[in-house]
Coordinates of all heavy atoms in Angstrom, one line a residue:
M1 N 49.1 117.3 50.9 CA 49.6 116.1 51.0 C 50.4 116.2 52.4 O 51.1 117.0 52.7 CB 50.6 115.7 49.9 CG 51.2 114.3 49.9 SD 52.1 114.0 48.5 CE 51.4 112.5 48.1
D2 N 50.4 115.1 53.0 CA 51.2 114.9 54.3 C 52.5 114.4 54.1 O 52.9 113.9 53.1 CB 50.4 113.9 55.2 CG 50.6 114.2 56.7 OD1 51.5 114.9 57.0 OD2 49.8 113.7 57.4
V3 N 53.4 114.7 55.1 CA 54.8 114.3 55.0 C 55.0 112.7 55.3 O 54.2 112.2 56.1 CB 55.7 115.1 56.1 CG1 57.0 114.5 56.3 CG2 55.6 116.4 56.0
P4 N 55.7 112.0 54.5 CA 55.8 110.6 54.6 C 56.3 110.3 56.0 O 57.2 111.0 56.4 CB 56.7 110.2 53.5 CG 56.8 111.3 52.5 CD 56.4 112.6 53.3
P5 N 55.8 109.2 56.5 CA 56.2 108.8 57.9 C 57.8 108.6 57.9 O 58.3 108.8 59.0 CB 55.6 107.4 58.1 CG 54.7 107.1 56.9 CD 54.9 108.2 55.9
D6 N 58.6 108.2 56.9 CA 60.0 108.0 56.9 C 60.7 109.2 57.2 O 61.8 109.2 57.7 CB 60.5 107.3 55.7 CG 60.0 105.9 55.6 OD1 59.6 105.3 56.5 OD2 60.0 105.3 54.5
F7 N 60.1 110.4 56.9 CA 60.7 111.6 57.0 C 60.5 112.4 58.4 O 61.0 113.4 58.7 CB 60.5 112.6 55.9 CG 60.9 112.2 54.7 CD1 60.1 112.1 53.5 CD2 62.2 111.6 54.4 CE1 60.5 111.7 52.2 CE2 62.7 111.2 53.2 CZ 61.8 111.2 52.2
R8 N 59.7 111.8 59.1 CA 59.2 112.5 60.5 C 60.3 111.9 61.5 O 60.9 110.9 61.5 CB 57.8 111.8 60.9 CG 56.8 112.4 60.0 CD 55.5 112.1 60.5 NE 54.5 112.4 59.7 CZ 53.5 111.7 59.2 NH1 53.3 110.6 59.9 NH2 52.5 112.0 58.4
P9 N 60.6 112.7 62.5 CA 61.6 112.4 63.4 C 60.9 111.3 64.4 O 59.8 111.3 64.6 CB 61.8 113.7 64.2 CG 60.6 114.5 64.0 CD 60.1 114.1 62.7
P10 N 61.9 110.5 64.9 CA 61.4 109.3 65.8 C 60.9 110.0 67.1 O 61.2 111.0 67.5 CB 62.6 108.5 66.0 CG 63.8 109.5 65.9 CD 63.3 110.4 64.9
P11 N 59.9 109.4 67.6 CA 59.3 109.9 68.9 C 60.3 109.8 70.0 O 61.1 108.9 70.1 CB 58.1 109.0 69.3 CG 58.4 107.7 68.5 CD 59.2 108.2 67.3
E12 N 60.3 111.0 70.8 CA 61.4 110.9 71.8 C 61.0 110.1 73.1 O 59.7 110.1 73.3 CB 61.5 112.4 72.4 CG 62.0 113.4 71.2 CD 63.4 113.1 70.8 OE1 64.2 112.6 71.6 OE2 63.6 113.1 69.6
L13 N 62.0 109.6 73.7 CA 61.8 108.8 75.0 C 61.8 109.7 76.1 O 62.7 110.5 76.1 CB 62.7 107.6 75.1 CG 62.7 106.5 74.1 CD1 63.9 105.6 74.3 CD2 61.5 105.7 74.3
P14 N 60.9 109.5 77.0 CA 61.1 110.4 78.4 C 62.6 110.1 78.9 O 63.0 109.0 78.7 CB 60.0 109.9 79.2 CG 59.1 109.2 78.4 CD 59.9 108.7 77.2
A15 N 63.1 111.2 79.6 CA 64.4 111.1 80.2 C 64.4 110.0 81.2 O 65.5 109.4 81.3 CB 64.7 112.4 80.7
A16 N 63.4 109.6 81.9 CA 63.4 108.6 83.0 C 63.4 107.2 82.4 O 63.8 106.3 83.1 CB 62.1 108.8 83.8
V17 N 63.0 107.1 81.1 CA 63.0 105.7 80.5 C 64.4 105.5 79.8 O 64.6 106.1 78.9 CB 61.9 105.7 79.5 CG1 61.9 104.2 78.9 CG2 60.6 105.8 80.2
T18 N 65.1 104.5 80.4 CA 66.4 104.2 79.7 C 66.4 102.8 79.5 O 66.1 102.0 80.4 CB 67.6 104.6 80.6 OG1 67.5 104.1 81.7 CG2 67.7 106.2 80.6
P19 N 66.7 102.2 78.3 CA 66.7 100.8 78.0 C 67.8 100.2 78.9 O 69.0 100.7 78.8 CB 66.9 100.8 76.6 CG 67.1 102.0 76.0 CD 66.9 103.1 77.1
S20 N 67.6 99.1 79.4 CA 68.6 98.4 80.2 C 68.8 97.0 79.6 O 67.8 96.5 79.1 CB 68.4 98.4 81.8 OG 67.1 97.7 81.9
V21 N 70.0 96.5 79.8 CA 70.2 95.0 79.3 C 70.4 94.2 80.6 O 71.2 94.5 81.3 CB 71.4 95.2 78.4 CG1 71.8 93.7 78.0 CG2 71.3 96.0 77.2
E22 N 69.6 93.2 80.6 CA 69.9 92.2 81.5 C 71.0 91.4 81.4 O 71.2 90.8 80.3 CB 68.5 91.3 81.7 CG 67.3 91.9 82.1 CD 67.1 92.3 83.6 OE1 67.8 91.6 84.3 OE2 66.5 93.3 83.9
P23 N 71.9 91.2 82.4 CA 73.2 90.4 82.1 C 72.7 88.9 82.0 O 71.9 88.5 82.7 CB 74.0 90.7 83.2 CG 73.1 91.3 84.3 CD 72.0 91.8 83.6
G24 N 73.3 88.3 81.0 CA 73.0 86.8 80.7 C 73.9 86.0 81.6 O 74.8 86.5 82.3
P25 N 73.6 84.8 81.6 CA 74.5 83.9 82.5 C 75.9 83.8 82.1 O 76.8 83.5 82.9 CB 73.8 82.4 82.2 CG 73.0 82.6 81.1 CD 72.7 84.0 80.8
S26 N 76.2 84.1 80.8 CA 77.6 84.0 80.4 C 78.3 85.4 80.5 O 79.5 85.5 80.1 CB 77.7 83.5 79.0 OG 77.2 84.4 78.2
S27 N 77.6 86.4 80.9 CA 78.2 87.8 81.0 C 79.3 87.9 82.1 O 80.4 88.6 81.9 CB 77.2 88.9 81.2 OG 76.7 88.8 82.5
G28 N 79.2 87.2 83.1 CA 80.2 87.1 84.2 C 80.3 88.4 85.0 O 81.0 88.4 86.0
S29 N 79.3 89.4 84.8 CA 79.4 90.6 85.6 C 77.9 91.0 85.9 O 77.1 91.1 85.0 CB 80.1 91.8 85.0 OG 79.9 92.9 85.7
D30 N 77.5 91.3 87.1 CA 76.1 91.8 87.4 C 76.1 93.2 87.0 O 74.9 93.7 86.9 CB 76.0 91.6 88.9 CG 76.0 90.1 89.4 OD1 75.6 89.3 88.4 OD2 76.1 89.9 90.5
D31 N 77.1 94.0 86.9 CA 77.0 95.4 86.6 C 77.1 95.6 85.0 O 77.2 96.8 84.6 CB 78.1 96.2 87.2 CG 78.1 96.0 88.7 OD1 77.2 95.7 89.3 OD2 79.3 96.2 89.3
A32 N 77.0 94.5 84.3 CA 77.3 94.8 82.8 C 76.0 95.5 82.2 O 74.9 94.9 82.2 CB 77.4 93.4 82.2
V33 N 76.2 96.6 81.6 CA 75.3 97.3 80.9 C 76.0 97.8 79.6 O 76.9 98.5 79.6 CB 74.9 98.7 81.6 CG1 73.8 99.5 80.7 CG2 74.2 98.3 82.9
T34 N 75.4 97.3 78.4 CA 76.0 97.6 77.2 C 75.8 99.1 76.9 O 74.6 99.5 76.8 CB 75.4 96.7 76.0 OG1 74.0 96.7 76.1 CG2 75.9 95.3 76.3
Q35 N 76.7 99.8 76.4 CA 76.7 101.1 76.0 C 76.8 101.2 74.4 O 77.5 100.3 73.9 CB 77.9 101.9 76.5 CG 78.0 102.0 78.0 CD 76.7 102.8 78.6 OE1 76.3 103.8 77.9 NE2 76.3 102.4 79.7
P36 N 76.1 102.0 73.8 CA 76.1 102.2 72.4 C 77.6 102.5 72.0 O 78.3 103.2 72.8 CB 75.1 103.3 72.0 CG 74.9 104.0 73.3 CD 75.1 103.1 74.4
P37 N 78.0 102.2 70.8 CA 79.4 102.5 70.4 C 79.6 104.1 70.4 O 78.6 104.7 70.0 CB 79.6 101.9 69.0 CG 78.2 101.5 68.6 CD 77.5 101.4 69.8
A38 N 80.9 104.4 70.7 CA 81.0 106.0 70.6 C 81.0 106.5 69.2 O 81.5 105.7 68.3 CB 82.4 106.3 71.1
R39 N 80.4 107.4 69.0 CA 80.1 108.0 67.7 C 81.3 108.9 67.2 O 81.6 109.8 68.0 CB 78.8 108.9 67.6 CG 78.4 109.2 66.2 CD 77.1 109.9 66.3 NE 76.1 108.9 66.4 CZ 74.8 109.0 65.9 NH1 74.4 110.2 65.3 NH2 73.9 108.1 66.1
S40 N 81.8 108.9 66.1 CA 82.9 109.6 65.6 C 82.4 111.1 65.4 O 81.2 111.2 65.0 CB 83.5 109.2 64.3 OG 82.6 109.2 63.2
P41 N 83.2 112.0 65.6 CA 82.8 113.4 65.5 C 82.2 113.8 64.2 O 81.5 114.7 64.0 CB 83.9 114.3 65.8 CG 85.2 113.4 65.8 CD 84.6 112.0 65.9
D42 N 82.7 113.1 63.0 CA 82.2 113.4 61.8 C 81.2 112.5 61.2 O 80.8 112.5 60.0 CB 83.4 113.6 60.8 CG 84.2 112.3 60.7 OD1 84.0 111.5 61.4 OD2 85.0 112.4 59.7
A43 N 80.5 111.8 62.1 CA 79.5 110.8 61.6 C 78.2 111.6 61.2 O 77.9 112.6 61.8 CB 79.2 109.8 62.8
L44 N 77.6 111.0 60.3 CA 76.3 111.7 59.9 C 75.3 111.2 60.8 O 75.2 110.2 61.3 CB 75.9 111.1 58.5 CG 76.8 111.4 57.3 CD1 76.4 110.7 56.1 CD2 76.9 112.9 57.2
T45 N 74.4 112.1 61.1 CA 73.3 112.0 62.1 C 72.1 111.7 61.4 O 71.9 112.0 60.3 CB 73.1 113.2 63.0 OG1 72.6 114.3 62.2 CG2 74.4 113.7 63.8
F46 N 71.2 110.9 62.1 CA 69.9 110.6 61.6 C 69.1 111.9 61.1 O 68.5 112.0 60.0 CB 69.0 109.9 62.6 CG 67.6 109.6 62.1 CD1 67.3 108.3 61.5 CD2 66.6 110.6 62.4 CE1 66.1 108.0 61.2 CE2 65.3 110.2 62.1 CZ 65.1 109.0 61.3
E47 N 69.2 112.9 61.9 CA 68.6 114.2 61.6 C 69.1 114.8 60.3 O 68.4 115.3 59.5 CB 68.7 115.2 62.7 CG 67.9 116.4 62.7 CD 66.3 116.2 62.6 OE1 65.9 115.1 63.3 OE2 65.6 117.0 62.2
Q48 N 70.5 114.7 60.1 CA 71.0 115.4 59.0 C 70.5 114.7 57.7 O 70.2 115.3 56.7 CB 72.5 115.3 58.9 CG 73.3 116.3 59.9 CD 74.8 115.9 60.0 OE1 75.1 114.7 60.1 NE2 75.5 116.9 60.2
I49 N 70.5 113.4 57.7 CA 70.0 112.5 56.5 C 68.6 112.8 56.3 O 68.1 113.0 55.2 CB 70.4 111.1 56.8 CG1 71.9 110.8 57.1 CG2 69.8 110.2 55.7 CD1 72.2 109.4 57.5
R50 N 67.8 112.8 57.4 CA 66.4 113.0 57.2 C 66.0 114.3 56.6 O 65.3 114.4 55.7 CB 65.7 112.9 58.5 CG 64.1 113.0 58.5 CD 63.5 113.1 59.9 NE 63.8 114.5 60.4 CZ 63.2 115.5 60.1 NH1 62.3 115.5 59.1 NH2 63.5 116.7 60.6
E51 N 66.7 115.4 57.0 CA 66.5 116.7 56.4 C 66.9 116.8 55.0 O 66.2 117.2 54.1 CB 67.4 117.8 57.2 CG 66.7 118.0 58.6 CD 67.5 119.1 59.3 OE1 68.5 119.6 58.9 OE2 67.2 119.3 60.5
R52 N 68.0 116.2 54.6 CA 68.4 116.2 53.2 C 67.5 115.4 52.4 O 67.1 115.6 51.2 CB 69.8 115.7 53.0 CG 70.5 115.5 51.6 CD 70.5 116.8 50.9 NE 71.4 117.7 51.6 CZ 72.8 117.7 51.2 NH1 73.2 117.1 50.3 NH2 73.6 118.6 52.0
A53 N 67.0 114.1 52.8 CA 66.2 113.3 52.2 C 64.8 114.0 51.9 O 64.2 113.9 50.8 CB 65.9 112.0 52.9
Y54 N 64.3 114.9 52.9 CA 63.2 115.6 52.7 C 63.4 116.7 51.7 O 62.4 116.9 50.9 CB 62.7 116.1 54.1 CG 61.5 116.9 54.1 CD1 60.2 116.3 54.3 CD2 61.4 118.3 54.0 CE1 59.1 116.9 54.1 CE2 60.2 119.0 54.0 CZ 59.0 118.2 54.0 OH 57.8 119.0 54.0
E55 N 64.4 117.4 51.6 CA 64.7 118.4 50.7 C 64.6 117.7 49.3 O 64.1 118.3 48.4 CB 66.0 119.0 50.9 CG 66.2 119.9 52.1 CD 67.5 120.3 52.4 OE1 68.4 120.2 51.6 OE2 67.8 120.8 53.5
L56 N 65.3 116.6 49.2 CA 65.3 116.0 47.8 C 63.9 115.6 47.4 O 63.6 115.6 46.2 CB 66.2 114.8 47.9 CG 67.7 115.0 48.0 CD1 68.3 113.6 48.4 CD2 68.3 115.6 46.8
W57 N 63.1 115.0 48.4 CA 61.8 114.6 48.1 C 61.0 115.7 47.7 O 60.2 115.7 46.6 CB 61.3 113.9 49.3 CG 59.8 113.5 49.3 CD1 59.3 112.4 48.6 CD2 58.7 114.1 49.9 NE1 58.0 112.4 48.8 CE2 57.5 113.3 49.7 CE3 58.6 115.3 50.8 CZ2 56.2 113.8 50.1 CZ3 57.3 115.5 51.3 CH2 56.2 114.9 51.0
E58 N 61.0 116.9 48.3 CA 60.3 118.1 47.9 C 60.8 118.6 46.6 O 59.9 118.9 45.7 CB 60.6 119.2 48.9 CG 59.6 119.1 50.2 CD 59.6 120.3 51.1 OE1 60.6 120.9 51.1 OE2 58.5 120.5 51.5
R59 N 62.1 118.7 46.3 CA 62.6 119.2 44.9 C 62.1 118.3 43.7 O 62.0 118.7 42.7 CB 64.2 119.0 45.0 CG 64.8 120.4 45.3 CD 66.2 120.3 45.0 NE 66.9 120.0 46.3 CZ 68.1 119.5 46.4 NH1 68.7 119.1 45.4 NH2 68.5 119.3 47.7
N60 N 61.8 117.0 44.1 CA 61.3 116.1 43.1 C 59.8 116.0 43.1 O 59.3 115.0 42.8 CB 62.0 114.6 43.2 CG 63.5 114.7 42.8 OD1 63.6 114.7 41.6 ND2 64.4 114.9 43.8
H61 N 59.0 116.9 43.4 CA 57.7 117.1 43.5 C 56.9 116.0 44.4 O 55.8 115.6 44.0 CB 57.1 117.0 42.0 CG 57.8 118.1 41.2 ND1 57.6 119.3 41.2 CD2 58.8 117.9 40.3 CE1 58.4 120.0 40.4 NE2 59.1 119.2 39.7
R62 N 57.5 115.7 45.5 CA 56.9 114.7 46.5 C 56.3 113.5 45.9 O 55.1 113.1 46.2 CB 55.8 115.4 47.2 CG 56.4 116.7 47.9 CD 55.3 117.5 48.6 NE 55.8 118.6 49.3 CZ 55.2 119.3 50.3 NH1 53.9 119.0 50.6 NH2 55.8 120.2 51.0
P63 N 57.1 112.7 45.2 CA 56.5 111.4 44.6 C 56.4 110.4 45.8 O 57.0 110.5 46.8 CB 57.6 110.9 43.6 CG 58.9 111.4 44.2 CD 58.4 112.8 44.8
E64 N 55.4 109.5 45.6 CA 55.0 108.6 46.7 C 55.8 107.4 46.4 O 56.0 107.0 45.2 CB 53.6 108.3 46.8 CG 52.8 109.4 47.2 CD 51.3 109.1 47.4 OE1 51.1 107.9 47.7 OE2 50.5 110.0 47.4
G65 N 56.3 106.6 47.5 CA 57.0 105.3 47.3 C 58.5 105.4 47.0 O 59.0 104.3 46.6
F66 N 59.1 106.5 47.1 CA 60.5 106.6 46.9 C 61.4 106.9 48.1 O 62.4 107.5 48.1 CB 60.8 107.6 45.7 CG 60.3 107.1 44.4 CD1 59.0 107.4 44.0 CD2 61.2 106.4 43.6 CE1 58.6 106.9 42.8 CE2 60.7 105.9 42.4 CZ 59.3 106.2 41.9
E67 N 60.8 106.6 49.3 CA 61.5 107.1 50.5 C 62.9 106.6 50.8 O 63.9 107.3 51.1 CB 60.6 106.6 51.8 CG 59.3 107.4 51.8 CD 58.2 106.7 51.0 OE1 58.5 105.6 50.5 OE2 57.0 107.2 51.0
I68 N 63.0 105.2 50.3 CA 64.3 104.6 50.6 C 65.3 105.3 49.6 O 66.5 105.5 50.0 CB 64.2 103.1 50.4 CG1 63.4 102.4 51.6 CG2 65.7 102.4 50.3 CD1 63.1 101.0 51.4
E69 N 64.9 105.5 48.4 CA 65.8 106.0 47.3 C 66.2 107.4 47.7 O 67.4 107.7 47.7 CB 65.1 106.2 45.8 CG 65.0 104.8 45.2 CD 63.7 104.0 45.7 OE1 63.1 104.4 46.7 OE2 63.5 102.8 45.1
F70 N 65.4 108.2 48.3 CA 65.8 109.6 48.6 C 66.6 109.5 50.0 O 67.6 110.3 50.0 CB 64.5 110.4 49.0 CG 63.8 111.0 47.7 CD1 62.5 110.6 47.5 CD2 64.6 111.7 46.7 CE1 61.9 111.0 46.3 CE2 63.8 112.1 45.5 CZ 62.6 111.7 45.3
W71 N 66.3 108.5 50.8 CA 67.2 108.3 52.0 C 68.7 108.0 51.6 O 69.5 108.6 52.1 CB 66.6 107.3 52.9 CG 67.4 107.3 54.2 CD1 68.5 106.5 54.4 CD2 67.0 108.0 55.4 NE1 68.8 106.7 55.8 CE2 68.0 107.5 56.4 CE3 66.1 108.9 55.8 CZ2 68.0 108.1 57.6 CZ3 66.1 109.5 57.0 CH2 66.9 109.0 58.0
L72 N 68.8 107.1 50.7 CA 70.3 106.7 50.4 C 70.9 107.7 49.5 O 72.1 107.9 49.6 CB 70.1 105.4 49.4 CG 69.4 104.1 50.2 CD1 69.4 102.9 49.2 CD2 70.4 103.8 51.2
L73 N 70.1 108.4 48.7 CA 70.7 109.5 48.0 C 71.3 110.6 48.9 O 72.3 111.1 48.6 CB 69.7 110.1 46.9 CG 70.2 111.4 46.0 CD1 71.3 110.8 45.1 CD2 69.0 111.7 45.1
A74 N 70.4 110.9 49.9 CA 70.7 112.0 50.8 C 72.1 111.5 51.7 O 73.0 112.3 51.8 CB 69.7 112.2 51.9
E75 N 72.1 110.2 52.0 CA 73.3 109.7 52.7 C 74.5 109.9 51.7 O 75.6 110.3 52.2 CB 73.2 108.2 53.0 CG 72.5 108.0 54.3 CD 72.4 106.5 54.7 OE1 72.0 105.6 53.9 OE2 72.9 106.2 55.8
R76 N 74.4 109.5 50.5 CA 75.5 109.7 49.5 C 76.0 111.0 49.3 O 77.1 111.2 49.3 CB 75.1 108.9 48.2 CG 76.2 108.7 47.2 CD 75.7 108.0 46.0 NE 74.9 107.0 46.2 CZ 73.6 106.8 45.5 NH1 73.3 107.6 44.7 NH2 72.8 105.8 45.8
E77 N 75.0 111.9 49.2 CA 75.4 113.4 49.0 C 76.2 113.8 50.1 O 77.2 114.5 50.0 CB 74.1 114.2 48.7 CG 73.6 114.0 47.3 CD 72.4 114.9 47.1 OE1 72.1 115.8 47.9 OE2 71.9 115.0 46.1
L78 N 75.7 113.6 51.4 CA 76.2 114.1 52.6 C 77.7 113.5 52.8 O 78.6 114.2 53.2 CB 75.4 113.8 53.7 CG 74.1 114.6 53.8 CD1 73.2 113.9 55.0 CD2 74.3 116.1 54.1
R79 N 77.8 112.3 52.5 CA 79.2 111.6 52.6 C 80.2 112.2 51.7 O 81.3 112.5 52.0 CB 79.1 110.2 52.3 CG 78.6 109.4 53.6 CD 78.9 107.9 53.5 NE 78.4 107.3 54.6 CZ 77.2 106.5 54.7 NH1 76.5 106.5 53.6 NH2 76.8 106.0 55.8
K80 N 79.7 112.4 50.4 CA 80.6 113.0 49.5 C 80.9 114.5 49.8 O 82.1 114.9 49.7 CB 79.9 113.0 48.1 CG 80.0 111.7 47.4 CD 79.9 111.8 45.9 CE 79.8 110.4 45.3 NZ 81.1 109.9 44.9
E81 N 80.0 115.2 50.3 CA 80.3 116.6 50.7 C 81.3 116.6 51.8 O 82.2 117.5 51.9 CB 79.0 117.3 51.2 CG 78.1 117.7 50.1 CD 76.8 118.2 50.6 OE1 76.7 118.5 51.8 OE2 75.9 118.4 49.8
R82 N 81.1 115.8 52.8 CA 82.1 115.5 53.9 C 83.5 115.2 53.5 O 84.4 115.7 53.9 CB 81.6 114.6 54.9 CG 82.4 114.3 56.1 CD 81.9 113.3 57.1 NE 81.8 112.1 56.5 CZ 81.3 110.9 56.8 NH1 80.6 111.0 58.0 NH2 81.3 109.8 56.2
E83 N 83.6 114.3 52.4 CA 84.9 113.8 51.9 C 85.5 115.1 51.2 O 86.8 115.2 51.4 CB 84.7 112.8 50.9 CG 84.4 111.4 51.7 CD 84.0 110.3 50.6 OE1 84.2 110.5 49.4 OE2 83.5 109.2 51.1
R84 N 84.7 115.8 50.4 CA 85.2 117.0 49.6 C 85.7 118.1 50.8 O 86.9 118.5 50.5 CB 84.2 117.6 49.0 CG 84.2 117.0 47.5 CD 83.3 117.9 46.6 NE 82.4 117.0 45.9 CZ 81.1 117.0 46.1 NH1 80.4 118.0 46.8 NH2 80.3 116.0 45.5
R85 N 85.1 118.3 51.9 CA 85.5 119.1 52.9 C 86.9 118.7 53.5 O 87.7 119.4 53.8 CB 84.5 119.3 54.0 CG 83.6 120.6 53.9 CD 82.8 120.8 55.0 NE 81.5 120.2 54.8 CZ 81.0 119.1 55.4 NH1 81.5 118.8 56.6 NH2 79.9 118.5 55.0
K86 N 86.9 117.4 53.7 CA 88.1 116.8 54.4 C 89.3 117.0 53.5 O 90.3 117.4 53.9 CB 87.9 115.3 54.8 CG 87.2 115.1 56.1 CD 87.2 113.5 56.2 CE 86.5 113.2 57.5 NZ 86.4 111.8 57.7
S87 N 89.1 116.6 52.2 CA 90.3 116.8 51.3 C 90.6 118.2 51.0 O 91.8 118.6 50.8 CB 89.9 116.1 49.9 OG 88.8 116.8 49.3
A88 N 89.7 119.2 51.1 CA 90.0 120.6 51.0 C 90.7 121.1 52.1 O 91.6 122.0 52.0 CB 88.8 121.4 50.7
D89 N 90.4 120.6 53.3 CA 91.1 120.9 54.6 C 92.6 120.5 54.6 O 93.4 121.1 55.2 CB 90.4 120.4 55.8 CG 89.1 121.1 56.1 OD1 88.8 122.2 55.4 OD2 88.3 120.6 56.7
R90 N 92.9 119.4 54.0 CA 94.3 118.8 54.0 C 95.1 119.5 53.0 O 94.6 119.8 51.9 CB 94.3 117.3 53.5 CG 93.7 116.4 54.6 CD 94.0 115.0 54.2 NE 92.7 114.4 54.5 CZ 92.2 113.4 53.6 NH1 92.8 113.0 52.6 NH2 91.1 112.9 53.9
P91 N 96.3 119.8 53.3 CA 97.3 120.4 52.3 C 97.6 119.4 51.3 O 97.6 118.3 51.5 CB 98.5 120.8 53.2 CG 98.3 119.9 54.4 CD 96.9 119.6 54.6
N92 N 97.8 119.9 50.1 CA 98.1 119.0 48.9 C 99.6 118.6 49.0 O 100.4 119.5 49.0 CB 97.9 119.7 47.6 CG 96.3 119.9 47.3 OD1 95.6 119.1 47.9 ND2 96.0 120.9 46.6
H93 N 99.8 117.4 49.3 CA 101.1 116.8 49.4 C 101.3 115.9 48.1 O 100.5 115.1 47.8 CB 101.3 116.0 50.5 CG 101.3 116.7 51.8 ND1 102.4 117.6 52.1 CD2 100.6 116.7 52.8 CE1 102.1 118.2 53.2 NE2 101.0 117.6 53.8
P94 N 102.5 116.1 47.5 CA 102.6 115.1 46.2 C 102.8 113.8 46.6 O 103.1 113.4 47.7 CB 103.9 115.7 45.5 CG 104.6 116.5 46.7 CD 103.5 116.9 47.6
A95 N 102.3 112.9 45.7 CA 102.4 111.4 46.0 C 103.9 111.0 46.2 O 104.7 111.6 45.4 CB 101.7 110.7 44.9
P96 N 104.1 110.1 47.0 CA 105.6 109.6 47.0 C 106.1 109.2 45.7 O 105.4 108.4 45.0 CB 105.6 108.5 48.0 CG 104.2 108.5 48.7 CD 103.3 109.3 47.9
G97 N 107.3 109.6 45.3 CA 107.9 109.2 44.1 C 107.5 110.0 42.8 O 108.0 109.8 41.7
S98 N 106.6 110.9 43.1 CA 106.2 111.8 41.9 C 107.1 113.0 41.9 O 107.5 113.5 43.0 CB 104.7 112.2 41.9 OG 104.5 113.0 43.1
P99 N 107.4 113.5 40.7 CA 108.4 114.7 40.6 C 107.6 115.9 41.1 O 106.4 115.9 40.9 CB 108.8 114.7 39.2 CG 107.7 114.1 38.4 CD 107.1 113.0 39.4
P100 N 108.2 116.9 41.8 CA 107.6 118.1 42.1 C 107.1 119.0 40.9 O 107.9 118.9 39.8 CB 108.6 119.0 42.9 CG 109.9 118.2 42.8 CD 109.7 116.8 42.1
A101 N 106.0 119.7 40.9 CA 105.6 120.4 39.9 C 106.4 121.7 39.6 O 107.0 122.3 40.5 CB 104.1 120.8 40.0

């Protein structure tokens, strides 16, 4: 059985090809090129989600037609893992107003 298309990496664009945005009449600047928003350092990447979704798909005996479910489950798992790591890294401070243990 072949790998479902949703789990394959997207085709790479050649380095010389960069999408450009034509400034519209209301932009007010001839140099306006929209940049993608800056990604936070702990943001999940497409590749991380794809790899986890593929692992889940394989663990579940490669069923057909469940690509979206595995993708969403992979995102959820990775986010929870990241939240657990963040909370483990933070020192435990008692909530305001609660008595010390």
Side-chain angles (χ1 to χ4, degrees):
M1 179 173 235
D2 207 342
V3 176
D6 292 344
F7 296 135
R8 293 188 189 133
E12 296 297 324
L13 290 176
V17 177
T18 55
S20 62
V21 176
E22 296 284 329
S26 63
S27 71
S29 172
D30 293 336
D31 301 337
V33 176
T34 54
Q35 297 293 326
R39 194 176 276 211
S40 69
D42 61 345
L44 297 175
T45 65
F46 178 88
E47 189 66 21
Q48 289 171 318
I49 300 167
R50 187 191 67 79
E51 287 175 5
R52 177 64 62 92
Y54 184 79
E55 290 170 12
L56 292 168
W57 176 71
E58 280 193 322
R59 261 189 266 154
N60 286 278
H61 309 288
R62 300 178 175 192
E64 292 186 31
F66 291 91
E67 294 84 7
I68 293 173
E69 287 83 354
F70 286 122
W71 187 271
L72 296 173
L73 183 58
E75 278 186 303
R76 193 175 316 128
E77 284 184 4
L78 290 168
R79 281 197 180 101
K80 286 205 183 267
E81 287 174 11
R82 184 180 60 191
E83 287 171 12
R84 272 190 231 121
R85 256 185 276 123
K86 279 185 179 180
S87 64
D89 290 346
R90 280 188 235 142
N92 288 337
H93 293 294
S98 64

